[in-house]
Amino acid sequence: HSPGSHCCRTRISTVSHFIVVLNGEQVFHSAKALAKAAVRLRLERSANRLRASVTHDGGQTWQNFRSQEIELETAIKVGIVAFNPSDEPLIARFKEFKLAFSND
């Protein structure tokens, strides 16, 4: 290394982002670092409160993202996306995707 140069070690991590977009504008964003393992995602809506959480143990324990109160229409669109900004290969599998409605 030449004088003044820095050598650093980077650690690649998996990050999950919870993003809310209304009328083409991002109105909320929360991120959580995840272990490199299979993960389940849960999205919940109660009136105008949105909450997202993830689990690595099949639903025994859940890690919550920061939740947010946002003025929402009665009907909303929900989507899931996987992206990889690194040079490492990414294999994303979406299994058991379902929408469930509750009166709670």
Side-chain angles (χ1 to χ4, degrees), residues 10 18-20 23 27 29 36-37 43 45 50 55 67 75 79-80 90 98 101 103:
T10 60
F18 175 37
I19 300 171
V20 177
N23 300 320
V27 297
H29 177 234
K36 287 191 172 184
L43 301 173
R45 176 187 180 179
L50 296 175
T55 182
S67 66
I80 298 174
L90 170 71
K98 62 183 171 186
F101 298 92
N103 292 329

Side-chain angles (χ1 to χ4, degrees), residues 15-18 28-33 64-66:
V15 178
S16 181
H17 295 270
F18 175 37
F28 179 73
H29 177 234
S30 181
K32 181 171 286 300
N64 293 323
F65 287 80
R66 182 171 51 93

Side-chain angles (χ1 to χ4, degrees), residues 62-75:
W62 291 90
Q63 299 174 28
N64 293 323
F65 287 80
R66 182 171 51 93
S67 66
Q68 180 70 34
E69 183 111 2
I70 300 172
E71 190 68 32
L72 297 169
E73 299 289 328
T74 302

Side-chain angles (χ1 to χ4, degrees), residues 20-98:
V20 177
V21 177
L22 293 174
N23 300 320
E25 299 284 330
Q26 180 178 310
V27 297
F28 179 73
H29 177 234
S30 181
K32 181 171 286 300
L34 303 174
K36 287 191 172 184
V39 64
R40 285 186 178 184
L41 170 68
R42 177 172 62 193
L43 301 173
E44 297 176 279
R45 176 187 180 179
S46 178
N48 285 333
R49 171 129 336 247
L50 296 175
R51 184 173 49 219
S53 51
V54 293
T55 182
H56 297 285
D57 59 13
Q60 297 296 315
T61 57
W62 291 90
Q63 299 174 28
N64 293 323
F65 287 80
R66 182 171 51 93
S67 66
Q68 180 70 34
E69 183 111 2
I70 300 172
E71 190 68 32
L72 297 169
E73 299 289 328
T74 302
I76 61 173
K77 294 179 182 178
V78 177
I80 298 174
V81 65
F83 67 95
N84 181 12
S86 77
D87 292 334
E88 285 191 6
L90 170 71
I91 299 173
R93 293 184 185 99
F94 297 105
K95 298 184 337 183
E96 301 177 31
F97 180 80
K98 62 183 171 186

